[in-house]
Every structure is written in structure tokens, then in C-alpha cells.
Amino acid sequence: MAKERTLSIIKPDATRRNLTGKINAVFEDAGLSIVAQKRMQLTPAQAGAFYAVHKERPFYNDLVSFMISGPVVVQVLEGENAVAKNRDVMGATDPKKAEAHTIRAQFAESIEANSVHGSDSAENAANEISFFFAETEILP
């Protein structure tokens, strides 16, 4: 198995409910290490740029509005096959379809307020990590 990194964002619905520690415990219990982390308030420009891939989709404006509605915790997770493992740990986007032990099944409020974001490929992980972190901020 390959050791890799992936980006995770704990979204405003989860930070508002003070779930950062509980969500991070799920990542760590799954064997993922948090090697960089910061709490921040995204600006409309940052959220728009980060989600630019969805710009033509009907949910784009609502997504940007949601992501700027409160603080987020952006972090780099590291571990064996971290991208796939994180996606498994997060669960299905729709919490009603997520397996019981996953973050979204446990903590999400809705398909929109689903508590976490995670990179969907190693390539996107590298791009998303560099969007938020300098290499010097990542401490394995």
C-alpha cells in the first residue's frame, strides 16, 4: 500500500456544533494522521475558487454560501491509501445513504450540511492541499 496525503475540510455545520475533535478521532482511529491543520473563515473568493470545478452546477452558489457561513477546519491527512480511506471514513455524500460508522452517518445534518469534504483523487488531493497549505506547514 502507498502512503499518501489527502485534504479534509470539517465544514461549518460541524464546527458550529463543536464536532472537530470527534471527527478527528474517527480519522485517527481509522489510521490517518493529521499532519497539518488550521481553523479559518473562508472568504467568498476563496470558497468560489476552491469549488470552481462546480461553477456551472446549479448548487454552486449555495455551496459557496454554506462554506463561508462559519469557520472550517482544513487539514492534511496522511496514511496508507489516504484518499480512499478518507472517502470510506466520510461515507456517502447523502448521510441517509452513508454506512452507520461513517462521519456523515454520525454527524451530518443533511446532504448539503454533510460535515466534511475530502479529496476524490490523489491528483485533486495534491491540488487541494496546495490551495490551503505551504509544504513547510505540513509536519509528518
Side-chain angles (χ1 to χ4, degrees):
M1 289 195 219
K3 193 172 203 178
E4 63 186 9
R5 292 176 176 166
T6 190
L7 184 83
S8 169
I9 301 175
I10 300 176
K11 295 181 177 181
D13 62 296
T15 61
R16 176 177 36 81
R17 293 178 289 139
N18 211 25
L19 296 173
T20 301
K22 290 179 182 179
I23 290 171
N24 283 340
V26 176
F27 292 137
E28 291 175 332
D29 288 347
L32 295 166
S33 298
I34 300 166
V35 295
Q37 182 181 73
K38 56 179 132 180
R39 184 178 181 93
M40 61 189 300
Q41 177 72 50
L42 294 176
T43 66
Q46 286 171 315
F50 185 77
Y51 287 107
V53 65
H54 299 302
K55 191 160 180 70
E56 300 305 318
R57 295 197 145 154
F59 60 82
Y60 173 77
N61 289 329
D62 289 339
L63 176 60
V64 170
S65 293
F66 170 65
M67 292 301 291
I68 66 171
S69 68
V72 297
V73 175
V74 295
Q75 51 197 13
V76 179
L77 306 177
E78 184 176 82
E80 299 296 323
N81 295 311
V83 173
K85 185 175 283 188
N86 182 39
R87 299 205 53 87
D88 287 344
V89 169
M90 287 190 309
T93 303
D94 182 347
K96 293 177 184 171
K97 297 178 182 175
E99 292 185 35
H101 65 281
T102 63
I103 291 169
R104 288 176 172 150
Q106 293 178 68
F107 304 117
E109 295 179 314
S110 68
I111 195 168
E112 294 85 14
N114 63 17
S115 298
V116 287
H117 163 89
S119 304
D120 62 2
S121 68
E123 180 182 354
N124 282 342
N127 292 333
E128 290 180 351
I129 289 168
S130 67
F131 186 91
F132 289 108
F133 294 95
E135 191 60 36
T136 57
E137 295 177 293
I138 303 170
L139 305 171

